Amino acid sequence: MNCTAVIIDDEPCVRDVVKALGHWSELGIAVVGEAEDGAAGLELVMQLKPDIVISDVKMPRMSGLELASRLQSAPCPPQVMIVSGYDDYDLVRQALKCGVTDYLLKPIKESELNEQLTACARAVSQRSADSPKPSEWQAILEGKPWLVRFRSFQYELGELLRSADKKVIQERFAALKAGIGGDAGLPETIYCYYSLVAVLQGFMQENGLEGGGELSYVFGSGDDMDGVLNRVCEWFCEASDEAARRLRQRGRLDIGQVRQYISENYDKNLSLQSVADHFYVSREYLSRSFKAEYKGSFSEYLLSCRMERAKVLLVEYNLPIKEVWRMLRFVDQTHFYKCFKRYFGMTPGEIRAASKTDNKTGQV
C-alpha cells in the first residue's frame, strides 16, 4: 500500500501527536502536508489529492465537518478521519452523515489511530486503478505569466545549490518573488512550495544530506507566497552550506584537529557520532581514520582525556569524587570507579592517598 495523508488541526501539539503515534512507514502511508485551519486544509487537500485526511472537528474558518462534507463531492474523495475532544453524540452523527470513516476522541490512543489508518489504507488500495485522480494544477496556473519564469527558475536550482553562494540564492529568490508580485493565492503558493521542496529533497539525497523529512510547512489561510518562499530560501541556503562543508571535509580529515577537539571538549557529552557530525564525516570513516593514525580507538582516547583530567581534579584540586565523575559526564559513580581502576590500576581513593604519601616523603 502506498498512500498519502494530510493532517489538519489548529493545535500544533495535536498534529505532532498524530505524526508521532502513526505507524506511517509500516502502513505505507506518507504525510505530505499539514494545515492549521479548515479553509487552508481544504485548499491543501484539493491540490495534493491525498488518500487520507485527518482533521480536527472544530477549527477556525471551517469546521472539520464542513470540510468532510465538501470533500465528499470531489471526483475521488479521500478517506476522512475526525479527531475531536468533544464526546458529543450529535457531532458523531453529523460526522457520519458527512462520510467520515471514524470519529476518534482525544487524547488519541495509538492503537485506535493505527487501526483506522490500516482500514483507510486498505480502502484506498481497493480503489480501481483505472480511476486516476484528476489534477487541478493546470487549470489553476492558466493565465499566470510568472509561471514561465518559475519553471525556468526550477531548472537553475541545481546550479544555485552547488554554487554554495547564499547571496546569489537569496537574490534569485528575491527576483522570483518580485516577478510573481501579488498574482498568487494559496493554490499557487502550495504549488510552488511542493515544486521547490521536491528539487531540494533531490539535491539533499544526492549529496547524502540528512533532514529531508524535516522540510515541512504548516499552511494557514493567511499564508502568502512571500512568506513561504522566504522559508524555502532558508532551507536552500542551509543545504547548500552543508553540502559545501562536507565536500571540503571529504577525504581531508585531520586527526590532529579531531584529537584537539576531543581534548578541549572531553567534559561534554561527546560520542563518536557527535564528533563525526562536527567534522561532517560518517562515524565509520572517523573510526577507521582515528585507529589508523592514532593506533587506538576513539573511545580509548576520549577515556584517556577524561581519566587524566580526573586524576588532576582528585589529586591537585582535591575535589570530592562524586563531583569529579559528574563533571566528566560518567553515567554513575560505579562506572567511573571501574574505568578509573582499569586505567590507573588504583581506585580514586588509593591514588589520592598515594599522592599524599609521595608528597610527604618528597617523592615526585
Side-chain angles (χ1 to χ4, degrees), residues 148-217:
V148 176
R149 293 190 294 273
F150 176 77
R151 286 174 174 164
S152 176
F153 177 64
Q154 282 183 274
Y155 295 130
E156 296 178 42
L157 289 178
E159 292 303 318
L160 286 176
L161 285 165
R162 284 187 287 273
S163 72
D165 191 330
K166 288 196 292 187
K167 184 178 180 181
V168 173
I169 293 174
Q170 290 164 348
E171 287 175 350
R172 292 298 295 118
F173 266 91
L176 175 66
K177 289 190 292 182
I180 295 174
D183 190 27
L186 189 57
E188 293 85 359
T189 301
I190 293 171
Y191 169 79
C192 290
Y193 167 80
Y194 281 97
S195 299
L196 295 175
V197 167
V199 174
L200 182 55
Q201 287 176 323
F203 174 81
M204 296 178 73
Q205 185 175 4
E206 289 171 8
N207 289 272
L209 305 182
E210 299 178 356
E214 300 174 3
L215 305 177
S216 60
Y217 190 95

Side-chain angles (χ1 to χ4, degrees), residues 3-154:
C3 306
T4 56
V6 163
I7 302 172
I8 308 168
D9 199 297
D10 58 327
E11 296 184 59
C13 61
V14 174
R15 296 195 303 269
D16 291 341
V17 167
V18 172
K19 288 187 290 185
L21 295 182
H23 299 169
W24 309 104
S25 57
E26 295 176 24
L27 297 174
I29 305 172
V31 177
V32 295
E34 297 177 56
E36 62 183 4
D37 64 70
L42 176 63
E43 196 62 65
L44 194 64
V45 172
M46 296 303 291
Q47 308 316 324
L48 296 183
K49 299 292 187 299
D51 301 296
I52 302 168
V53 173
I54 303 169
S55 174
D56 189 12
V57 68
K58 292 190 176 181
M59 297 180 292
R61 298 184 178 88
M62 182 183 294
S63 72
L65 299 183
E66 183 181 350
L67 171 69
S69 178
R70 294 181 64 169
L71 289 177
Q72 290 309 304
S73 62
C76 190
Q79 302 286 304
V80 180
M81 295 167 51
I82 290 292
V83 175
S84 173
Y86 300 94
D87 188 3
D88 186 309
Y89 175 74
D90 287 336
L91 280 177
V92 174
R93 187 176 61 180
Q94 291 177 48
L96 293 175
K97 286 183 177 180
C98 293
V100 304
T101 61
D102 202 357
Y103 188 100
L104 302 182
L105 289 175
K106 301 175 184 177
I108 303 167
K109 295 182 176 61
E110 182 176 357
S111 58
E112 291 181 359
L113 174 63
N114 287 291
E115 181 181 344
Q116 290 307 312
L117 287 174
T118 300
C120 289
R122 285 175 179 164
V124 170
S125 69
Q126 292 171 0
R127 288 177 180 168
S128 172
D130 298 328
S131 302
K133 297 176 185 178
S135 173
E136 296 184 6
W137 292 123
Q138 196 60 41
I140 289 171
L141 297 168
E142 282 181 1
K144 304 290 182 182
W146 56 264
L147 179 59
V148 176
R149 293 190 294 273
F150 176 77
R151 286 174 174 164
S152 176
F153 177 64
Q154 282 183 274

Side-chain angles (χ1 to χ4, degrees), residues 1 6 20 22 44 67 77 96 103 135 155 169-171 211 224 241 268 276 294 303 305 312 317 327 343 362-363:
M1 294 179 284
V6 163
L44 194 64
L67 171 69
L96 293 175
Y103 188 100
S135 173
Y155 295 130
I169 293 174
Q170 290 164 348
E171 287 175 350
D224 58 15
D241 274 352
K268 297 185 174 70
Y294 178 64
L303 180 63
C305 291
V312 170
Y317 292 88
M327 288 173 63
Y343 187 83
Q363 296 179 7

